[in-house]
Amino acid sequence: MNLGSRSEVKALIKSGRILVNKERVLRPDLKVDEESVVISYQGREYRYRPFVYYMMNKPAGVLCATRDSSCRTVLSLFMEQCGPANGGELSGIPVQDIFPVGRLDKDTVGLLLLTNDGELAHRLLSPRFHVPKTYYVETDFPLPAEKAAALEAGVDIGDKEPTRKAVVTPLADLSCTITITEGRFHQVKRMFQTQGLTVTYLKRLSMGGLALDPGLSEGQIRELTKEEVDLLWQKTC
């Protein structure tokens, strides 16, 4: 739970500095129900949760990776805001297994899910579940109706198979939204390239029914609600 090593935590318990359900305990071998117990230390409560789920409004210039020797990553940004070193929300839960679900290009912004739930991540990313992802797109030239129809029908982006059917909604001369059910490498940009267009700005708006919180500025993070997590599971069933 990021309070210290096993020996350090035992010393804290024996010194009477740990509370279990608001009562001081002195025995490190005390058995508790990890699903309901509340551990307190220095005024902070710690509840064990095997899985955590966070939404980030990913900013441009940050890599979707857990570590990189030269570039800032979404995990380093995550730890800056929520990590135990800064007294953040993650002070009471394991953090070593948290990872981004899927990848957004370095210059792409918007919704990014961070979790340590490998099963949910697999379901959200697996082509078998056809989880929809919606992006806001800006291009260098307008997207004519016939080219939008081509994108919706599926296009050859150089892979073994054409892209699956998509939904394109024009917004203005140089912008639209596109909803896809795949996650191929640079897929949205490559799709528009087949129509002679260059994507100049790309933002993910939603994934599996989970919409980007409009109150999150780029770079900000918040924990998902139980209802939001349940919604993601429902979309992969």
Side-chain angles (χ1 to χ4, degrees), residues 3 6 15 30 48 89 91-92 99 111 182 186 207-208 229:
L3 276 176
R6 185 182 296 270
S15 67
L30 177 70
Y48 174 70
E89 298 174 9
S91 295
F99 58 89
L111 175 65
E182 302 173 280
H186 295 324
M207 179 180 188
V229 175

Side-chain angles (χ1 to χ4, degrees), residues 138-150:
E138 292 181 359
T139 52
D140 55 348
F141 293 102
L143 176 67
E146 65 273 15
K147 292 188 176 183

